Amino acid sequence: MIAALRLLFFLSPFGTIAAGERGVHLRFTAVTGKVFGEGLYFRVPLIESVQMMDVKIQKYEMKSDAASKDLQTVHSVKGQA
């Protein structure tokens, strides 16, 4: 009895998805097309799984230098979110 409860806990059919993440539903490692949002989800143990994906905005900055028509140096930093 205790072993069955431990096995059930280990193969828990419930899970949670945190803020800024999405869960892609897989059945036998094949994508089903279902995407779980933030919160609680249910899956069939040993058959289905959920792969977590980070969907937070990532910041990227690029520095560049150039010369103007009258040969003055121009510096710019372009940020992209």
Side-chain angles (χ1 to χ4, degrees):
M1 180 69 171
I2 294 175
L5 288 174
R6 286 184 182 173
L7 185 63
L8 182 64
F9 179 75
F10 180 71
L11 300 173
S12 177
F14 298 102
T16 58
I17 298 176
E21 292 183 341
R22 297 293 180 268
V24 178
H25 185 246
L26 306 171
R27 182 172 293 131
F28 295 115
T29 69
V31 177
T32 63
K34 187 174 182 183
V35 177
F36 295 112
E38 301 166 356
L40 188 67
Y41 66 86
F42 176 79
R43 67 178 180 90
V44 178
L46 299 174
I47 296 173
E48 298 175 340
S49 62
V50 176
Q51 179 69 42
M52 301 297 178
M53 299 295 216
D54 185 20
V55 294
K56 295 178 210 137
I57 295 175
Q58 303 293 318
K59 186 175 181 181
Y60 175 75
E61 285 189 2
M62 181 177 62
K63 296 180 182 180
S64 63
D65 296 323
S68 66
K69 189 176 184 179
D70 56 354
L71 299 179
Q72 292 181 354
T73 306
V74 179
H75 303 283
S76 69
V77 177
K78 182 177 183 182
Q80 189 174 19

